[in-house]
Amino acid sequence: MRWPCPSPGACRPEGEQSLAALLGRLPLFRGLSAEAIGAIAALSAIIEVPRHTLLFGEGAPATALHVVLSGQIKVFSLTSDGRESIVEVFSPPSFFGVAAVLGDGRFPVHAEALYDATVIRVPREAMLEALSSQPLAALRTVGALARCRMALAAQIHQLETLSPLQRVAEFILALPGAEHGTVTVRLPFNKETLAGRLGIRRESLSRVLARLKPLGVAVKGYDVCILDVAALRRAVRPGCGRDCAAAT
Amino acid sequence: MIAEALETSPLFALLPATDAAGFARPLHAPAQAVLLRRGEIPASVLLIRHGAVDLVAGGPMGRLGPGEVVGLDALFSAEPLAFDAVAATPFEGVALDGQGLLAFLDGRSDILHAMIAILSGQLRDQIRQIADLKLHSCAERLAGFLATLTPAQRDAVVTLPCDKQRLARRLGMEPATLSRAFARLRALGVHAGRGARVVIEDVAALRRLAGGSES
């Protein structure tokens, strides 16, 4: 799901050639001939998605996969009474929609820009053409889908086995920079979205953050100060002793 | 044994057993064995027949069980594994040699396209499961399940169709969480003892909770 890119700002292409270069860095298209990637780029387009704009709705025809260049896209489902369940939040550099495009052709969820976003839209026809003409594209697609499946399996496992406190702590410990010692890391989105992403209610998140304070976690706005990363790991992971902390 | 194991995986059931025999071998490993290493493109792809495999990257990321495949994503994407795959229990399964598998699939776009269709369907199911897990609390999921056991609207006595450990797994929660969910439903007049018998004083209230109208 992740692909290398120096920074979100550096991802903005200036023409079709740089669009091809961006697509060529996706694990999905890695190793494909320049001609094949150029053909995909020629059919693709960059679109701006203002904050809170619906990119696609659940059940809509899956006409394109999307690559996030900047901003964030929230993928979610809604109940009939309007409750929202956030499946994932995609940030640069990531892509989504492959399974819907190549599966039954309908998006199973809604997608909306959480913040102003820039997205590459790769149409279904470009994907199908690549799959039929480039055997390597089929191999890479299986790899990309298998990776998505692992990521979702991990999320399901966490939802089924970890308490809300453990889920919040694990999310914080997985943020860039949360490696060792005393650190301040930054939440990638607001607390309401965080609660939705972790499958807990907003008011429960406040209670969990209060319970994390004695474990050395202080949250102010988007900033999270962890007094001792290793101590937090030991506190929230049963059986994670000194060896576990050292190994990480 | 290899042919039977391949049949347990929708993806590998696509491989003709006679061909797979050329690049697949049985694999047994003790609990705690590191089966695949983070940062490497695996030499083999593993199919779990019995046991469980933990995915570990700094901390625990997830656990896979029988029928699941490990390492395929890294091998086919030519990207290093993002986690260690560690046997959580004694491991019994099949190791498919990576180069042998790639050589066999070279020119077999029919199988690759079938794999894409299967994975796409599996992803759709996972997305639904995640949405459901996040929308409904454990107590709501238990309430919904209990309500399916009776057509009654008011009071009822129902019998659980399986033991509580299996019920917990079926509802996607730990046994301890199931106990807490039962405790929470006590306030709604649900009384469960040690056995399979559950007394429900107000089935309609359970249905309302399962629908998410209460929190």
Side-chain angles (χ1 to χ4, degrees), chain B residues 137-147 160 167 171 173 177-192 198-202 205-210 214-215:
Chain B
S137 69
C138 294
E140 287 170 353
R141 296 208 295 280
L142 175 59
F145 177 77
L146 292 175
L160 298 177
L167 178 60
L171 295 175
M173 60 185 87
T177 310
L178 178 68
S179 299
R180 285 197 292 273
F182 266 117
R184 192 175 156 210
L185 293 188
R186 213 172 292 141
L188 279 182
V190 174
H191 305 283
V198 179
V199 177
I200 305 171
E201 291 176 4
D202 187 348
L206 271 194
R207 293 213 167 90
R208 282 197 299 276
L209 177 61
E214 296 176 33
S215 60

Side-chain angles (χ1 to χ4, degrees), chain A residues 2 4 25-32 136 139-144 146-147, chain B residues 39-42 45 71-82 99 102:
Chain A
R2 305 268 168 193
R25 284 187 230 157
L26 284 174
L28 200 54
F29 302 130
R30 183 171 301 140
L32 267 60
L136 187 59
L139 195 72
R140 294 285 187 256
T141 302
V142 172
R147 184 150 292 205
Chain B
E40 295 178 358
I41 294 178
V45 173
L72 188 74
D73 58 320
L75 181 70
F76 282 20
S77 301
E79 279 212 323
L81 268 177
Q99 292 311 311
L102 290 174

Side-chain angles (χ1 to χ4, degrees), chain B residues 22-41:
Chain B
F23 53 83
R25 63 182 170 84
L27 179 68
H28 298 263
Q32 304 305 316
V34 178
L35 303 169
L36 300 176
R37 288 197 181 278
R38 181 183 183 185
E40 295 178 358
I41 294 178

Side-chain angles (χ1 to χ4, degrees), chain A residues 6 20 36 44 48-49 54 57-58 81 90 129 148 161 179-180 193 209 221 227 240 243:
Chain A
S44 302
E48 301 291 337
V49 191
L54 197 67
E58 181 177 337
D81 61 356
F90 291 96
E129 172 59 27
C148 292
T161 60
E179 285 159 11
H180 50 78
T193 305
L209 293 178
L227 196 60
C240 178
D243 291 346

Side-chain angles (χ1 to χ4, degrees), chain A residues 69-84:
Chain A
L69 294 182
S70 69
Q72 290 177 332
I73 302 290
K74 174 178 72 174
V75 168
F76 63 103
S77 69
L78 285 175
T79 60
S80 55
D81 61 356
R83 287 194 300 159
E84 181 180 285

Side-chain angles (χ1 to χ4, degrees), chain A residues 2 27 30 77 79 81 83-87 99-100 102-104 106 108-109 131 135 138-150 152-161 170 196-197 199 201 237 248, chain B residues 55 58-64 68-70 72-74 76-83 102 105 112-113 115-116 119-120 122-124 126-127 129-131 133-137 140 172-174 211-212 214-215:
Chain A
R2 305 268 168 193
R30 183 171 301 140
S77 69
T79 60
D81 61 356
R83 287 194 300 159
E84 181 180 285
S85 173
I86 299 176
V87 176
L102 300 177
D104 70 358
R106 299 267 165 190
V109 284
L131 286 177
L139 195 72
R140 294 285 187 256
T141 302
V142 172
L145 292 173
R147 184 150 292 205
C148 292
R149 184 161 153 64
M150 300 293 274
L152 294 182
Q155 196 182 152
I156 290 168
H157 181 73
Q158 291 205 346
L159 286 166
E160 289 181 345
T161 60
E170 289 292 351
R197 167 63 180 77
R201 290 166 199 241
R237 291 176 189 165
T248 56
Chain B
L55 312 180
M61 288 175 60
R63 175 171 287 191
L64 301 177
E68 295 283 358
V69 174
V70 195
L72 188 74
D73 58 320
F76 282 20
S77 301
E79 279 212 323
L81 268 177
F83 48 78
L102 290 174
L105 289 172
L112 288 170
H113 288 191
M115 285 182 167
I116 289 170
L119 283 165
S120 297
Q122 290 175 337
L123 282 169
R124 178 171 292 265
Q126 285 180 307
I127 287 169
Q129 191 180 353
I130 287 172
L133 283 169
K134 288 180 179 175
L135 269 177
H136 300 290
S137 69
E140 287 170 353
M173 60 185 87
E174 291 287 282
E214 296 176 33
S215 60

